[in-house]
Amino acid sequence: VQLLESGGGSVQAGGSVRLSCAFSGIPLKLNGMCWYRQAPGKKREVVATITTGGTSDYTDFVEGRFTVSRDNARNMVYLQMNDLKYEDAAVYYCATVYESGWIWGGGTQVTVSE
């Protein structure tokens, strides 16, 4: 199983970015997926999750602003981020559990300027 994030970049506060995660190795439909982020000097924290059935959940600080989705036919997972705030700047990772272990992508940087 491999994960590859893309779509990060620099955006002004209040702007939007859509991150993508390409999933390969086994059919995406078999796995729940997560988005995490890690800002400099801070611990990695979960941002959003989506189950195999498409049920999503969000941490409080992104609820109402971020939307996670999945396209099993394309083996893709997305994170739409709207109304970005300075504190959203971080490296964003997609992740999943496979054979009792966590699989992580290499991350994609999101920078937010005020």
Side-chain angles (χ1 to χ4, degrees):
V1 174
Q2 290 187 318
L3 305 175
L4 180 64
E5 302 93 338
S6 62
S10 183
V11 62
Q12 286 190 319
S16 298
V17 168
R18 188 177 83 153
L19 305 182
S20 299
C21 173
F23 182 102
S24 63
I26 62 172
L28 173 63
K29 65 182 180 181
L30 300 179
N31 278 60
M33 298 295 297
C34 305
W35 283 97
Y36 280 76
R37 71 185 185 188
Q38 186 167 21
K42 294 189 177 181
K43 291 168 52 177
R44 192 171 295 191
E45 59 187 2
V46 63
V47 173
T49 62
I50 186 165
T51 67
T52 54
T55 300
S56 57
D57 195 18
Y58 303 91
T59 193
D60 287 347
F61 46 80
V62 305
E63 182 80 51
R65 299 188 297 122
F66 291 12
T67 302
V68 59
S69 61
R70 59 192 297 154
D71 184 340
N72 290 340
R74 290 182 168 82
N75 277 357
M76 297 292 293
V77 180
Y78 304 100
L79 185 67
Q80 177 68 43
M81 306 190 295
N82 298 329
D83 190 22
L84 282 161
K85 304 180 186 303
Y86 181 75
E87 52 266 33
D88 293 320
V91 178
Y92 284 74
Y93 301 89
C94 61
T96 191
V97 175
Y98 178 67
E99 294 187 342
S100 301
W102 280 93
I103 306 295
W104 297 88
T108 185
Q109 178 77 52
V110 174
T111 303
V112 183
S113 58
E114 294 186 318

PDB file of all heavy atoms in Angstrom, residues 43-65:
ATOM      1  N   LYS A  43       2.937  18.468  17.662  1.00  0.00           N
ATOM      2  CA  LYS A  43       2.683  17.052  17.409  1.00  0.00           C
ATOM      3  C   LYS A  43       1.768  16.883  16.198  1.00  0.00           C
ATOM      4  O   LYS A  43       0.977  17.764  15.877  1.00  0.00           O
ATOM      5  CB  LYS A  43       2.026  16.428  18.639  1.00  0.00           C
ATOM      6  CG  LYS A  43       2.932  16.322  19.845  1.00  0.00           C
ATOM      7  CD  LYS A  43       2.161  15.963  21.108  1.00  0.00           C
ATOM      8  CE  LYS A  43       1.289  14.764  20.966  1.00  0.00           C
ATOM      9  NZ  LYS A  43       0.607  14.401  22.231  1.00  0.00           N
ATOM     10  N   ARG A  44       1.910  15.714  15.565  1.00  0.00           N
ATOM     11  CA  ARG A  44       1.008  15.399  14.469  1.00  0.00           C
ATOM     12  C   ARG A  44      -0.398  15.208  15.043  1.00  0.00           C
ATOM     13  O   ARG A  44      -0.576  14.542  16.065  1.00  0.00           O
ATOM     14  CB  ARG A  44       1.479  14.130  13.753  1.00  0.00           C
ATOM     15  CG  ARG A  44       0.801  13.876  12.435  1.00  0.00           C
ATOM     16  CD  ARG A  44       1.472  12.734  11.685  1.00  0.00           C
ATOM     17  NE  ARG A  44       2.840  13.079  11.300  1.00  0.00           N
ATOM     18  CZ  ARG A  44       3.574  12.348  10.459  1.00  0.00           C
ATOM     19  NH1 ARG A  44       3.067  11.240   9.927  1.00  0.00           N
ATOM     20  NH2 ARG A  44       4.799  12.707  10.165  1.00  0.00           N
ATOM     21  N   GLU A  45      -1.401  15.770  14.387  1.00  0.00           N
ATOM     22  CA  GLU A  45      -2.764  15.699  14.898  1.00  0.00           C
ATOM     23  C   GLU A  45      -3.730  15.307  13.791  1.00  0.00           C
ATOM     24  O   GLU A  45      -3.537  15.666  12.623  1.00  0.00           O
ATOM     25  CB  GLU A  45      -3.183  17.050  15.494  1.00  0.00           C
ATOM     26  CG  GLU A  45      -3.124  18.214  14.532  1.00  0.00           C
ATOM     27  CD  GLU A  45      -3.383  19.560  15.182  1.00  0.00           C
ATOM     28  OE1 GLU A  45      -3.572  19.615  16.412  1.00  0.00           O
ATOM     29  OE2 GLU A  45      -3.402  20.570  14.449  1.00  0.00           O
ATOM     30  N   VAL A  46      -4.753  14.572  14.168  1.00  0.00           N
ATOM     31  CA  VAL A  46      -5.740  14.159  13.187  1.00  0.00           C
ATOM     32  C   VAL A  46      -6.614  15.350  12.818  1.00  0.00           C
ATOM     33  O   VAL A  46      -6.950  16.190  13.655  1.00  0.00           O
ATOM     34  CB  VAL A  46      -6.585  12.985  13.728  1.00  0.00           C
ATOM     35  CG1 VAL A  46      -7.377  13.392  14.935  1.00  0.00           C
ATOM     36  CG2 VAL A  46      -7.447  12.403  12.640  1.00  0.00           C
ATOM     37  N   VAL A  47      -6.968  15.407  11.547  1.00  0.00           N
ATOM     38  CA  VAL A  47      -7.795  16.488  11.026  1.00  0.00           C
ATOM     39  C   VAL A  47      -9.174  15.955  10.644  1.00  0.00           C
ATOM     40  O   VAL A  47     -10.194  16.529  11.006  1.00  0.00           O
ATOM     41  CB  VAL A  47      -7.114  17.129   9.808  1.00  0.00           C
ATOM     42  CG1 VAL A  47      -8.035  18.132   9.137  1.00  0.00           C
ATOM     43  CG2 VAL A  47      -5.809  17.783  10.212  1.00  0.00           C
ATOM     44  N   ALA A  48      -9.181  14.849   9.907  1.00  0.00           N
ATOM     45  CA  ALA A  48     -10.445  14.313   9.401  1.00  0.00           C
ATOM     46  C   ALA A  48     -10.272  12.832   9.121  1.00  0.00           C
ATOM     47  O   ALA A  48      -9.166  12.373   8.821  1.00  0.00           O
ATOM     48  CB  ALA A  48     -10.869  15.040   8.135  1.00  0.00           C
ATOM     49  N   THR A  49     -11.387  12.117   9.205  1.00  0.00           N
ATOM     50  CA  THR A  49     -11.390  10.699   8.873  1.00  0.00           C
ATOM     51  C   THR A  49     -12.592  10.399   7.995  1.00  0.00           C
ATOM     52  O   THR A  49     -13.606  11.114   8.036  1.00  0.00           O
ATOM     53  CB  THR A  49     -11.454   9.818  10.127  1.00  0.00           C
ATOM     54  OG1 THR A  49     -12.677  10.095  10.826  1.00  0.00           O
ATOM     55  CG2 THR A  49     -10.279  10.088  11.058  1.00  0.00           C
ATOM     56  N   ILE A  50     -12.479   9.337   7.219  1.00  0.00           N
ATOM     57  CA  ILE A  50     -13.602   8.896   6.406  1.00  0.00           C
ATOM     58  C   ILE A  50     -13.586   7.381   6.364  1.00  0.00           C
ATOM     59  O   ILE A  50     -12.553   6.759   6.114  1.00  0.00           O
ATOM     60  CB  ILE A  50     -13.567   9.533   4.995  1.00  0.00           C
ATOM     61  CG1 ILE A  50     -14.838   9.181   4.213  1.00  0.00           C
ATOM     62  CG2 ILE A  50     -12.294   9.156   4.235  1.00  0.00           C
ATOM     63  CD1 ILE A  50     -15.054  10.047   2.978  1.00  0.00           C
ATOM     64  N   THR A  51     -14.756   6.791   6.639  1.00  0.00           N
ATOM     65  CA  THR A  51     -14.853   5.345   6.685  1.00  0.00           C
ATOM     66  C   THR A  51     -15.000   4.760   5.282  1.00  0.00           C
ATOM     67  O   THR A  51     -15.181   5.485   4.294  1.00  0.00           O
ATOM     68  CB  THR A  51     -16.066   4.925   7.522  1.00  0.00           C
ATOM     69  OG1 THR A  51     -17.258   5.327   6.832  1.00  0.00           O
ATOM     70  CG2 THR A  51     -16.032   5.556   8.908  1.00  0.00           C
ATOM     71  N   THR A  52     -14.967   3.428   5.206  1.00  0.00           N
ATOM     72  CA  THR A  52     -15.174   2.777   3.917  1.00  0.00           C
ATOM     73  C   THR A  52     -16.552   3.102   3.352  1.00  0.00           C
ATOM     74  O   THR A  52     -16.739   3.164   2.143  1.00  0.00           O
ATOM     75  CB  THR A  52     -15.024   1.257   4.044  1.00  0.00           C
ATOM     76  OG1 THR A  52     -15.899   0.780   5.071  1.00  0.00           O
ATOM     77  CG2 THR A  52     -13.587   0.877   4.404  1.00  0.00           C
ATOM     78  N   GLY A  53     -17.511   3.351   4.235  1.00  0.00           N
ATOM     79  CA  GLY A  53     -18.856   3.680   3.792  1.00  0.00           C
ATOM     80  C   GLY A  53     -19.066   5.145   3.478  1.00  0.00           C
ATOM     81  O   GLY A  53     -20.161   5.550   3.069  1.00  0.00           O
ATOM     82  N   GLY A  54     -18.019   5.957   3.702  1.00  0.00           N
ATOM     83  CA  GLY A  54     -18.121   7.376   3.370  1.00  0.00           C
ATOM     84  C   GLY A  54     -18.524   8.282   4.513  1.00  0.00           C
ATOM     85  O   GLY A  54     -18.719   9.485   4.315  1.00  0.00           O
ATOM     86  N   THR A  55     -18.632   7.731   5.708  1.00  0.00           N
ATOM     87  CA  THR A  55     -18.957   8.568   6.865  1.00  0.00           C
ATOM     88  C   THR A  55     -17.716   9.334   7.297  1.00  0.00           C
ATOM     89  O   THR A  55     -16.648   8.748   7.483  1.00  0.00           O
ATOM     90  CB  THR A  55     -19.458   7.706   8.027  1.00  0.00           C
ATOM     91  OG1 THR A  55     -20.635   7.009   7.615  1.00  0.00           O
ATOM     92  CG2 THR A  55     -19.772   8.567   9.237  1.00  0.00           C
ATOM     93  N   SER A  56     -17.860  10.636   7.458  1.00  0.00           N
ATOM     94  CA  SER A  56     -16.720  11.482   7.782  1.00  0.00           C
ATOM     95  C   SER A  56     -16.832  12.040   9.196  1.00  0.00           C
ATOM     96  O   SER A  56     -17.931  12.148   9.753  1.00  0.00           O
ATOM     97  CB  SER A  56     -16.598  12.622   6.780  1.00  0.00           C
ATOM     98  OG  SER A  56     -17.786  13.379   6.732  1.00  0.00           O
ATOM     99  N   ASP A  57     -15.689  12.387   9.720  1.00  0.00           N
ATOM    100  CA  ASP A  57     -15.625  12.987  11.051  1.00  0.00           C
ATOM    101  C   ASP A  57     -14.474  13.982  11.050  1.00  0.00           C
ATOM    102  O   ASP A  57     -13.480  13.788  10.337  1.00  0.00           O
ATOM    103  CB  ASP A  57     -15.411  11.914  12.112  1.00  0.00           C
ATOM    104  CG  ASP A  57     -15.695  12.420  13.510  1.00  0.00           C
ATOM    105  OD1 ASP A  57     -16.365  13.464  13.646  1.00  0.00           O
ATOM    106  OD2 ASP A  57     -15.246  11.780  14.475  1.00  0.00           O
ATOM    107  N   TYR A  58     -14.618  15.034  11.854  1.00  0.00           N
ATOM    108  CA  TYR A  58     -13.651  16.115  11.835  1.00  0.00           C
ATOM    109  C   TYR A  58     -13.278  16.523  13.246  1.00  0.00           C
ATOM    110  O   TYR A  58     -14.090  16.468  14.166  1.00  0.00           O
ATOM    111  CB  TYR A  58     -14.231  17.337  11.107  1.00  0.00           C
ATOM    112  CG  TYR A  58     -14.668  17.029   9.702  1.00  0.00           C
ATOM    113  CD1 TYR A  58     -15.978  16.622   9.445  1.00  0.00           C
ATOM    114  CD2 TYR A  58     -13.779  17.112   8.643  1.00  0.00           C
ATOM    115  CE1 TYR A  58     -16.378  16.314   8.152  1.00  0.00           C
ATOM    116  CE2 TYR A  58     -14.171  16.811   7.357  1.00  0.00           C
ATOM    117  CZ  TYR A  58     -15.476  16.406   7.110  1.00  0.00           C
ATOM    118  OH  TYR A  58     -15.867  16.096   5.846  1.00  0.00           O
ATOM    119  N   THR A  59     -12.067  16.981  13.374  1.00  0.00           N
ATOM    120  CA  THR A  59     -11.681  17.545  14.639  1.00  0.00           C
ATOM    121  C   THR A  59     -12.316  18.932  14.759  1.00  0.00           C
ATOM    122  O   THR A  59     -12.662  19.570  13.759  1.00  0.00           O
ATOM    123  CB  THR A  59     -10.152  17.596  14.752  1.00  0.00           C
ATOM    124  OG1 THR A  59      -9.794  17.857  16.087  1.00  0.00           O
ATOM    125  CG2 THR A  59      -9.590  18.663  13.845  1.00  0.00           C
ATOM    126  N   ASP A  60     -12.471  19.405  15.992  1.00  0.00           N
ATOM    127  CA  ASP A  60     -13.247  20.624  16.230  1.00  0.00           C
ATOM    128  C   ASP A  60     -12.713  21.828  15.467  1.00  0.00           C
ATOM    129  O   ASP A  60     -13.485  22.662  14.982  1.00  0.00           O
ATOM    130  CB  ASP A  60     -13.250  20.946  17.732  1.00  0.00           C
ATOM    131  CG  ASP A  60     -14.139  19.992  18.512  1.00  0.00           C
ATOM    132  OD1 ASP A  60     -14.920  19.266  17.874  1.00  0.00           O
ATOM    133  OD2 ASP A  60     -14.043  19.979  19.755  1.00  0.00           O
ATOM    134  N   PHE A  61     -11.391  21.918  15.356  1.00  0.00           N
ATOM    135  CA  PHE A  61     -10.850  23.154  14.803  1.00  0.00           C
ATOM    136  C   PHE A  61     -10.982  23.256  13.287  1.00  0.00           C
ATOM    137  O   PHE A  61     -10.639  24.283  12.704  1.00  0.00           O
ATOM    138  CB  PHE A  61      -9.394  23.365  15.244  1.00  0.00           C
ATOM    139  CG  PHE A  61      -8.514  22.167  15.133  1.00  0.00           C
ATOM    140  CD1 PHE A  61      -7.965  21.793  13.924  1.00  0.00           C
ATOM    141  CD2 PHE A  61      -8.205  21.408  16.264  1.00  0.00           C
ATOM    142  CE1 PHE A  61      -7.140  20.690  13.823  1.00  0.00           C
ATOM    143  CE2 PHE A  61      -7.382  20.300  16.173  1.00  0.00           C
ATOM    144  CZ  PHE A  61      -6.847  19.932  14.953  1.00  0.00           C
ATOM    145  N   VAL A  62     -11.496  22.214  12.619  1.00  0.00           N
ATOM    146  CA  VAL A  62     -11.732  22.321  11.182  1.00  0.00           C
ATOM    147  C   VAL A  62     -13.194  22.073  10.817  1.00  0.00           C
ATOM    148  O   VAL A  62     -13.582  22.219   9.658  1.00  0.00           O
ATOM    149  CB  VAL A  62     -10.838  21.358  10.371  1.00  0.00           C
ATOM    150  CG1 VAL A  62      -9.373  21.572  10.719  1.00  0.00           C
ATOM    151  CG2 VAL A  62     -11.241  19.908  10.562  1.00  0.00           C
ATOM    152  N   GLU A  63     -13.982  21.685  11.803  1.00  0.00           N
ATOM    153  CA  GLU A  63     -15.397  21.392  11.547  1.00  0.00           C
ATOM    154  C   GLU A  63     -16.066  22.581  10.869  1.00  0.00           C
ATOM    155  O   GLU A  63     -15.919  23.727  11.303  1.00  0.00           O
ATOM    156  CB  GLU A  63     -16.089  21.087  12.882  1.00  0.00           C
ATOM    157  CG  GLU A  63     -17.554  20.721  12.761  1.00  0.00           C
ATOM    158  CD  GLU A  63     -17.756  19.277  12.339  1.00  0.00           C
ATOM    159  OE1 GLU A  63     -17.164  18.390  12.971  1.00  0.00           O
ATOM    160  OE2 GLU A  63     -18.513  19.046  11.372  1.00  0.00           O
ATOM    161  N   GLY A  64     -16.755  22.307   9.786  1.00  0.00           N
ATOM    162  CA  GLY A  64     -17.449  23.361   9.058  1.00  0.00           C
ATOM    163  C   GLY A  64     -16.610  24.050   8.007  1.00  0.00           C
ATOM    164  O   GLY A  64     -17.141  24.782   7.164  1.00  0.00           O
ATOM    165  N   ARG A  65     -15.305  23.824   8.020  1.00  0.00           N
ATOM    166  CA  ARG A  65     -14.427  24.465   7.047  1.00  0.00           C
ATOM    167  C   ARG A  65     -13.790  23.442   6.092  1.00  0.00           C
ATOM    168  O   ARG A  65     -13.531  23.759   4.931  1.00  0.00           O
ATOM    169  CB  ARG A  65     -13.313  25.233   7.749  1.00  0.00           C
ATOM    170  CG  ARG A  65     -13.813  26.362   8.650  1.00  0.00           C
ATOM    171  CD  ARG A  65     -12.658  27.210   9.171  1.00  0.00           C
ATOM    172  NE  ARG A  65     -11.738  26.460  10.025  1.00  0.00           N
ATOM    173  CZ  ARG A  65     -10.436  26.333   9.788  1.00  0.00           C
ATOM    174  NH1 ARG A  65      -9.887  26.895   8.721  1.00  0.00           N
ATOM    175  NH2 ARG A  65      -9.673  25.644  10.625  1.00  0.00           N
TER     176      ARG A  65
END
